[in-house]
Amino acid sequence: MKKVFAVIAAIVFTASAWAGPVAGPSVSEKAIAAFEKEFKHATNANWSLKEDVSIVTFQLNNQKVRAWFSSDGNLEALQRDINAGQMTLLSAKTVTELATEQTVLSISELSENGELYYVVKAESKLFKNTYKVTVDGNRTKMDRKKKK
């Protein structure tokens, strides 16, 4: 009986080693190194990969932050969730005006290619909308989806 268990254990061990996970694309080591250098005090880092971009979501100073790194370790974009009080005065005024028409769901500050802007998600009775609000208060609709 002991021999049967030993043989079964050997078969299971060998099969699991042979049928291990298939190696797919992985997060760039240069991106990880750049992240660790740039955000030394970050916690709860979770990585994902989309096309050739490594995306990390983490906590920094009690704020949720998301960063996009190229495969060569360059920081491409940085996003953090904020409230209207953290926006520039002109952009906050635009969001206040938007809030009279729709319910504001979330505000994110995005820095991409040297440009700072805000992504505002809002909903009306029929639609969920995403807006780009610039620091000088200009508003552009980025996306509109019908509510289900």
Side-chain angles (χ1 to χ4, degrees):
M1 189 72 162
K2 288 182 183 179
K3 289 182 183 181
V4 172
F5 285 119
V7 170
I8 291 173
I11 290 171
V12 169
F13 178 76
T14 304
S16 66
W18 178 74
V22 177
S26 61
V27 173
S28 161
E29 289 182 25
K30 289 181 180 179
I32 294 171
F35 167 75
E36 290 174 350
K37 181 179 178 185
E38 185 75 26
F39 302 101
K40 293 177 185 173
H41 302 290
T43 58
N44 302 326
N46 292 306
W47 288 88
S48 62
L49 189 66
K50 187 171 184 177
E51 297 171 12
D52 288 339
V53 179
S54 298
I55 305 166
V56 59
T57 303
F58 57 98
Q59 292 285 321
L60 185 66
N61 299 327
N62 295 319
Q63 286 189 304
K64 181 181 174 184
V65 181
R66 184 173 294 116
W68 288 261
F69 287 91
S70 65
S71 59
D72 59 355
N74 290 325
L75 179 62
E76 299 293 325
L78 189 63
Q79 174 185 354
R80 68 182 179 134
D81 294 341
I82 63 168
N83 60 53
Q86 295 172 292
M87 302 174 80
T88 63
L89 292 175
L90 293 174
S91 58
K93 181 179 179 220
T94 298
V95 170
T96 301
E97 291 168 359
L98 178 65
T100 63
E101 307 163 8
Q102 302 178 49
T103 302
V104 174
L105 303 173
S106 68
I107 304 169
S108 296
E109 178 185 78
L110 205 78
S111 176
E112 180 179 26
N113 298 323
E115 180 186 9
L116 179 68
Y117 60 93
Y118 305 97
V119 175
V120 179
K121 295 189 178 188
E123 69 178 6
S124 65
K125 291 180 182 180
L126 299 174
F127 297 99
K128 287 189 177 186
N129 301 302
T130 304
Y131 297 93
K132 176 180 180 179
V133 178
T134 61
V135 293
D136 59 356
N138 291 321
R139 174 177 86 182
T140 307
K141 190 177 290 186
M142 297 170 65
D143 189 36
R144 179 180 184 177
K145 293 181 180 173
K146 190 165 185 161
K147 289 171 66 173
K148 294 180 181 178

